[in-house]
């Protein structure tokens, strides 16, 4: 009887922890999306799932590089209305070097062999590069803040 209670107690505790972790992950994603929307004045699609993120922003003010990959869960590409669809070799080389320097895993890197569009936003000393891979419906955001 005691062991049955213990199993039920452990199950309840684990369930509470899992629910808490899911809530915190959702809050974190919403905060990141809100940061992009408020700081860069861009509207990310509402149905977006964070697939991967990396940053080296250890300072109090958040200076550094942030690399994020989002999966678009619906076909909302309103963010891309003024994107450039031309291939840019200099941009590709620069991003590939950055991904390699940051240690981004191969499966999370941008594949420039597939069709993509891009937009570059400069705000004072800070920059945001938006790359959307049309084939896999993934949105890559590379933010560099000084």
């Amino acid at each position: 009887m005691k062991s049955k209670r213990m199993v039920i107690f452990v199950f309840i505790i684990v369930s509470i922890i899992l629910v808490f972790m899911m809530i915190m992950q959702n809050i974190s994603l919403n905060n990141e999306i809100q940061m992009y929307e408020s700081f860069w004045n861009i509207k990310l699609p509402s149905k977006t799932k964070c697939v991967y993120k990396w940053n080296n922003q250890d300072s109090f003010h958040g200076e550094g590089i942030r690399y994020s990959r989002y999966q678009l869960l619906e076909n909302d590409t309103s963010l891309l209305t003024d994107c450039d669809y031309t291939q840019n070799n200099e941009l590709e080389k620069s991003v590939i070097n950055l991904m390699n320097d940051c240690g981004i895993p191969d499966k999370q890197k941008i594949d420039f062999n597939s069709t993509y569009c891009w937009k570059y936003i400069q705000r004072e000393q800070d920059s945001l590069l938006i790359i959307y891979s049309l084939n896999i419906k993934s949105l890559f955001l590379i933010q560099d803040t000084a």
Side-chain angles (χ1 to χ4, degrees):
M1 191 67 170
K2 284 185 178 183
S3 65
K4 196 174 189 179
R5 272 193 200 159
M6 185 59 98
V7 169
I8 291 173
F9 178 74
V10 169
F11 178 76
I12 290 171
I13 295 296
V14 168
S15 298
I16 290 171
I17 291 171
L18 287 174
V19 167
F20 179 74
M21 288 173 55
M22 289 188 317
I23 290 170
M24 293 307 292
Q25 183 180 9
N26 192 31
I27 289 171
S28 173
L29 176 61
N30 287 338
N31 285 343
E32 189 170 310
I33 289 173
Q34 288 174 353
M35 181 272 305
Y36 281 115
E37 290 177 352
S38 65
F39 189 79
W40 294 103
N41 198 26
I42 60 172
K43 179 78 173 135
L44 294 177
S46 58
K47 301 231 176 177
T48 304
K49 178 183 176 190
C50 183
V51 176
Y52 178 81
K53 63 182 172 179
W54 177 91
N55 72 61
N56 68 346
Q57 299 172 328
D58 294 330
S59 71
F60 178 74
H61 297 288
E63 301 95 357
I65 297 170
R66 177 185 309 260
Y67 177 92
S68 304
R69 177 181 177 185
Y70 295 94
Q71 192 69 41
L72 301 187
L73 303 176
E74 61 183 26
N75 212 13
D76 179 6
T77 56
S78 56
L79 171 67
L80 310 172
T81 54
D82 56 347
C83 277
D84 191 338
Y85 285 82
T86 58
Q87 185 177 8
N88 185 321
N89 292 330
E90 185 177 314
L91 170 99
E92 291 177 16
K93 257 193 259 184
S94 174
V95 171
I96 288 169
N97 288 337
L98 176 77
M99 290 186 297
N100 289 336
D101 291 346
C102 295
I104 306 298
D106 287 341
K107 69 179 188 175
Q108 302 301 339
K109 290 180 179 179
I110 303 166
D111 179 11
F112 288 109
N113 293 320
S114 65
T115 307
Y116 68 92
C117 65
W118 60 279
K119 180 191 317 191
Y120 183 77
I121 302 171
Q122 182 79 36
R123 184 175 159 216
E124 297 175 13
Q125 296 175 329
D126 304 326
S127 63
L128 176 68
L129 177 61
I130 302 169
I131 299 174
Y132 178 67
S133 178
L134 281 75
N135 298 353
I136 59 173
K137 295 183 180 174
S138 284
L139 182 67
F140 299 89
L141 302 175
I142 302 169
Q143 174 182 290
D144 187 2
T145 52

